[in-house]
Amino acid sequence: GMRMLKPRELFNAQGFRPDYIIDRDPWGRPITTTAATLMVGNSVPPPVARALAEANLMPAEPERLAA
């Protein structure tokens, strides 16, 4: 049979950086493999989030943000 992908493989496949923390919560408590797998299934991949943000910026806004 086929093996299940590990959470790190799932996050990497969605475009998360390799150093993105997936094994503990914001308070440093460990997260189970099951919880990490559920979180990746409920995530918005960074490349998609970036594309949405860029598509919704008005043309004048990038210059204003860089100032």
Side-chain angles (χ1 to χ4, degrees):
M2 295 178 61
R3 73 173 181 87
M4 296 293 292
L5 294 174
K6 303 290 184 198
R8 173 57 58 199
E9 295 169 313
L10 295 168
F11 276 94
N12 289 348
Q14 287 202 24
F16 285 86
R17 295 186 329 247
D19 63 341
Y20 190 80
I21 299 170
I22 63 167
D23 62 346
R24 54 192 180 274
D25 68 14
W27 300 275
R29 296 180 299 219
I31 293 176
T32 66
T33 299
T34 300
T37 302
L38 290 171
M39 286 189 294
V40 74
N42 196 38
S43 67
V44 177
V48 173
R50 182 183 184 115
L52 287 170
E54 289 175 351
N56 285 289
L57 282 175
M58 294 178 63
E61 288 188 40
E63 292 83 20
R64 187 188 64 161
L65 294 174

